[in-house]
Amino acid sequence: KAGVTQTPRYLIKTRGQQVTLSCSPISGHRSVSWYQQTPGQGLQFLFEYFSETQRNKGNFPGRFSGRQFSNSRSEMNVSTLELGDSALYLCASSHGLAAINLNTGELFFGEGSRLTVL
Amino acid sequence: AQSVSQHNHHVILSEAASLELGCNYSYGGTVNLFWYVQYPGQHLQLLLKYFSGDPLVKGIKGFEAEFIKSKFSFNLRKPSVQWSDTAEYFCAVPSTNFNKFYFGSGTKLNVKP
């Protein structure tokens, strides 16, 4: 079974530009979550989608948005990039109805998209 | 709201040394606790978890963690580390309705051969 796939793996943008990141969850997983990972901050929850609906949102500005398609693939977009948006963006998927599987408590993460903003 | 804190940001050990990484949580209700590990260049993966029952839980690769309610702690331990344990370790607690994780800031472990 293929794991969570994120593209692109690395990208460099300049301030003011916008970026779109893509995530393909494990087959059969309908919940997709996004996290931002920065040194010293750990992982911060961005948002979670299930069946094309955003169910939960973290404390990030409106420049951060996302969506999910009918095949459960998800994208996140960051507009008007700032230097502080440089981070590793992680996508995770889960089997079941909750964002985190209630039986196993496990999230399956992709390897991330590393964004550098210059 | 739930939160976890990790006070060791960077730990350097020699092979065969014992490891203990601290994790403290702040939540008075039912607690579920997790440790995730991120090896260099790899995806984050589950190391072990505590849901209920025996407070001493064992995970993959010889890791274990003990849930101590009176100390609000869930420290990760390994009796003898290997070079391949070099990674970043994250403590995490789910929100009450399991819709997201709250992660600690992470501890980078560097094991010298």
Side-chain angles (χ1 to χ4, degrees):
Chain A
K1 208 175 196 182
V4 177
T5 305
Q6 292 188 245
T7 56
R9 291 291 313 280
Y10 303 91
L11 65 166
I12 299 173
K13 294 285 186 179
T14 56
R15 279 182 300 174
Q17 287 187 308
Q18 66 130 20
V19 66
T20 298
L21 309 177
S22 180
C23 170
S24 293
I26 291 173
S27 178
H29 288 191
R30 290 191 288 167
S31 170
V32 174
S33 301
W34 289 88
Y35 288 82
Q36 182 196 64
Q37 183 180 359
T38 53
Q41 298 267 352
L43 283 78
Q44 305 291 322
F45 173 75
L46 281 156
F47 26 64
E48 184 253 347
Y49 289 87
F50 184 90
S51 291
E52 303 178 67
T53 300
Q54 186 184 86
R55 292 196 299 189
N56 302 289
K57 190 175 190 304
N59 190 24
F60 278 82
R63 300 185 295 108
F64 291 80
S65 63
R67 59 179 175 169
Q68 186 181 34
F69 302 95
S70 58
N71 61 357
S72 294
R73 189 177 71 85
S74 178
E75 289 181 346
M76 67 163 282
N77 184 277
V78 188
S79 62
T80 320
L81 284 166
E82 301 177 359
L83 295 178
D85 297 333
S86 294
L88 181 66
Y89 289 89
L90 296 174
C91 170
S93 72
S94 171
H95 178 69
L97 298 177
I100 301 168
N101 186 285
L102 293 172
N103 294 319
T104 66
E106 188 165 9
L107 274 184
F108 294 88
F109 285 86
E111 293 181 339
S113 293
R114 186 167 294 282
L115 170 65
T116 301
V117 182
L118 303 176
Chain B
Q2 299 93 316
S3 67
V4 289
S5 59
Q6 296 177 247
H7 302 295
N8 313 105
H9 298 297
H10 201 168
V11 173
I12 301 173
L13 294 173
S14 297
E15 274 194 316
S18 64
L19 169 73
E20 182 161 2
L21 301 182
C23 171
N24 289 96
Y25 65 91
S26 61
Y27 182 64
T30 302
V31 179
N32 303 291
L33 293 158
F34 297 76
W35 278 97
Y36 273 82
V37 60
Q38 189 175 42
Y39 296 102
Q42 295 187 28
H43 61 88
L44 205 66
Q45 57 187 286
L46 181 65
L47 196 57
L48 50 77
K49 60 181 181 278
Y50 171 77
F51 270 16
S52 63
D54 190 343
L56 183 63
V57 293
K58 296 189 183 298
I60 60 172
K61 303 186 180 184
F63 285 91
E64 64 179 33
E66 186 174 10
F67 169 61
I68 303 179
K69 190 173 181 179
S70 61
K71 294 185 178 180
F72 295 88
S73 70
F74 188 58
N75 292 353
L76 182 69
R77 302 194 296 241
K78 186 171 184 179
S80 176
V81 294
Q82 301 172 310
W83 175 79
S84 58
D85 294 324
T86 293
E88 190 160 14
Y89 295 81
F90 294 92
C91 184
V93 60
S95 57
T96 50
N97 55 3
F98 273 59
N99 62 12
K100 62 185 170 186
F101 269 121
Y102 296 98
F103 283 90
S105 55
T107 298
K108 282 190 176 178
L109 172 65
N110 189 358
V111 180
K112 297 190 289 186

